[in-house]
Amino acid sequence: MPLILLAGCAAPAALPPVTIPVRNPTAPIASQVDADLSRLSGDWVVVQGAGIRPGTRLRFGPDRVAIDGAVLSVAQTTAGRLTIGGEPVWVHWIDADNRTAALGNPDGTRVWIMDRAGKPGERLRAAREILTWYGYDLSRVAG
């Protein structure tokens, strides 16, 4: 039944446009090598973000992601690296139990922390530390 609901949603061409990067391009950056689409599968809520608003609901499937009901293609390009609607998005961190994840564009146009329940607790601090290390300006992140 969920697949039928997703198939009926309009598919935007890409994520919402962003004009000002939130990442220092000289900072080191990496993706988590054991992060893949199977670990992201299911429902998430954005708790903090720039270029994607807090409260946004995501549902990852094997080749699609619903973002507040709009369906975009998603594909894994390599370990910890995806394309969402054709845009590169890296999984910078996901906790061992797949409850909280920090994702962002390597060019710094968007970044977000998402959680299965919307209440990451102590994992929020860990996600923010990783994103800061990778050069994201978290003073510009909403949430």
Side-chain angles (χ1 to χ4, degrees):
M1 186 70 161
L3 291 178
I4 294 169
L5 293 173
L6 290 177
C9 297
L15 290 165
V18 178
T19 56
I20 302 172
V22 294
R23 185 180 169 278
N24 176 350
T26 65
I29 191 166
S31 57
Q32 187 168 319
V33 296
D34 66 347
D36 60 27
L37 276 172
S38 68
R39 292 186 65 189
L40 294 175
S41 181
D43 296 322
W44 297 86
V45 177
V46 174
V47 294
Q48 293 185 352
I52 187 165
R53 67 177 175 71
T56 298
R57 297 191 172 279
L58 295 93
R59 175 177 282 195
F60 281 86
D63 63 354
R64 300 269 185 258
V65 59
I67 302 176
D68 274 348
V71 180
L72 286 83
S73 63
V74 64
Q76 184 166 334
T77 58
T78 189
R81 299 179 185 187
L82 316 168
T83 58
I84 296 178
E87 187 175 309
V89 175
W90 290 11
V91 180
H92 296 303
W93 179 78
I94 186 169
D95 76 293
D97 295 320
N98 305 323
R99 298 169 295 171
T100 304
L103 292 82
N105 293 83
D107 65 4
T109 53
R110 73 181 81 248
V111 62
W112 72 91
I113 299 168
M114 61 186 189
D115 186 77
R116 298 277 184 189
K119 297 178 181 174
E122 78 286 349
R123 296 180 306 277
L124 181 61
R125 190 179 88 172
R128 288 181 60 86
E129 286 176 3
I130 292 287
L131 293 174
T132 299
W133 174 256
Y134 289 145
Y136 290 95
D137 180 357
L138 299 183
S139 70
R140 297 175 51 207
V141 171

